[in-house]
């Protein structure tokens, strides 16, 4: 592994855990994956689903990374 890659990995680890760096939703929030934003505030991000079940199908996700929906605390839900 060259020094540049190692440095980048160290920088990533300070920003994200390994799980977060692989999380598709974290990548959408940070802008490294494209999305059609519908709404955004300090706590959540809403965007159109790429495979909608119906017209206007929107996903609302918390900006705080959680492993799954059952791990989210009450503040994240609200």
């Amino acid at each position: 592994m060259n020094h540049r890659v190692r440095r980048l990995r160290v920088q990533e680890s300070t920003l994200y855990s390994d799980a977060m760096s692989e999380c598709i939703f974290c990548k959408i929030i940070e802008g490294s994956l494209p999305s059609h934003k519908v709404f955004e505030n300090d706590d959540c991000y809403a965007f159109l689903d790429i495979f909608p079940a119906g017209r206007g199908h929107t996903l609302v996700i918390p900006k705080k990374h959680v492993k799954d929906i059952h791990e989210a605390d009450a503040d994240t839900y609200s």
Side-chain angles (χ1 to χ4, degrees):
M1 176 183 309
N2 70 34
H3 294 290
R4 183 167 185 261
V5 171
R6 185 169 181 218
R7 232 178 305 133
L8 288 174
R9 287 186 187 225
V10 170
Q11 287 175 345
E12 277 184 3
S13 68
T14 60
L15 296 175
Y16 307 104
S17 69
D18 288 336
M20 290 173 66
S21 66
E22 296 301 317
C23 175
I24 190 169
F25 297 117
C26 290
K27 289 179 180 183
I28 290 170
I29 290 169
E30 72 184 14
S32 60
L33 287 178
S35 66
H36 184 83
K37 180 171 57 173
V38 174
F39 175 80
E40 180 178 16
N41 66 18
D42 293 337
D43 301 315
C44 69
Y45 185 85
F47 58 99
L48 294 178
D49 194 321
I50 60 171
F51 298 112
R55 190 169 194 266
H57 183 180
T58 303
L59 299 175
V60 180
I61 57 173
K63 286 190 172 180
K64 177 183 173 186
H65 176 82
V66 291
K67 182 179 173 184
D68 60 46
I69 195 71
H70 304 293
E71 187 182 272
D73 58 18
D75 289 335
T76 303
Y77 273 120
S78 61

